[in-house]
Each structure stands twice: as C-alpha cells, then as structure tokens.
Amino acid sequence: MSVFELIDSLLDRLDMPYYEGQPEFERSPPEAFISYNVYDVPGLRGDGREKTTAFFLTMNIYTAGQNRKTRAVDADKALTALFTKNGFTRRGGSFGLTDDFPRYYHRVIEFNYDDEGEYYNGN
C-alpha cells in the first residue's frame, strides 16, 4: 500500500470531506473539510542509493459556522489519534484564520511517516 493509499484509507474513516491539494469549489464549500499536501525526503545510504523515504504530510482542517473553533479542535483530536495509531508522528501545528477561505477557522497539523518500502528497491 502506498503512503497515498494509506492516507486516503485513514481519511475515509472520518466523517468529513477531504481533498488532496487546495480545493476549488464551484459553490459554497462544506462547513467543515480537510485538505492535505505531501512531500518526501529520501534517506540515502553511503553509496547514494535510497534506503528510506520520509513523507511529510500537512493536514488542513477548515471549519465554519457556530462553534468553529471547537469543531476544529475535535477534528484535530480525531485526526491525530487516527494517524498516530497508524504509524505517523505528529510534528506540530497551528490554529488561526485564513484568507484562503474567509470566515473559516483553520487548523494545520503536520505529520511525518517513514517508509522503507515505498521507493527502496532492496539492493
């Protein structure tokens, strides 16, 4: 299973729509949603071949309406529990407002995931 399949399978368990990258909505966005971005950094062996891959995941939780801060915190707790139980390490995060989606509260959570099988060919 690729790291992307793992992320999507975990997000499928939450009761919130999610998108890879920054979504664009034709109409109004949902009251709460998640977007995420992933980048990777290779861990190289002495001979220059890739030994492991560290994936860095930035999760964005957007919540609107009444109790938007409480909803963001609740979503953060659920997301963090789910991802840390499945091999991800929480690296930090921030709370605040966003210009991307005015009137939405924005919670950012960063995780990393070390994978020895994604790109490593075993040689």
Side-chain angles (χ1 to χ4, degrees):
M1 174 184 298
S2 77
V3 70
F4 298 100
E5 292 169 328
L6 176 58
I7 292 166
D8 287 346
S9 73
L10 295 174
L11 289 173
D12 283 342
R13 298 181 194 178
L14 300 175
D15 187 26
M16 191 177 292
Y18 65 89
Y19 309 89
E20 183 177 357
Q22 189 71 0
E24 293 183 21
F25 299 100
E26 290 183 23
R27 295 181 181 84
S28 298
E31 276 223 357
F33 64 93
I34 296 169
S35 70
Y36 71 89
N37 294 299
V38 179
Y39 72 93
D40 65 76
V41 176
L44 303 177
R45 299 182 338 182
D47 63 3
R49 288 195 224 150
E50 192 163 343
K51 182 174 112 176
T52 62
T53 304
F55 290 91
F56 295 89
L57 171 64
T58 301
M59 304 293 288
N60 298 282
I61 301 169
Y62 296 94
T63 54
Q66 195 169 19
N67 300 318
R68 65 186 180 180
K69 290 181 184 180
T70 301
R71 290 174 65 203
V73 169
D74 291 345
D76 171 12
K77 288 178 184 177
L79 194 72
T80 299
L82 183 60
F83 275 74
T84 56
K85 286 179 185 173
N86 286 280
F88 289 79
T89 303
R90 193 176 85 81
R91 297 180 52 231
S94 63
F95 289 94
L97 300 174
T98 176
D99 292 335
D100 295 331
F101 296 98
R103 298 184 314 269
Y104 278 75
Y105 197 69
H106 185 202
R107 171 66 173 143
V108 178
I109 312 166
E110 296 180 345
F111 296 97
N112 72 289
Y113 182 81
D114 294 324
D115 189 350
E116 295 184 10
E118 183 72 18
Y119 295 104
Y120 179 56
N121 63 14
N123 294 325

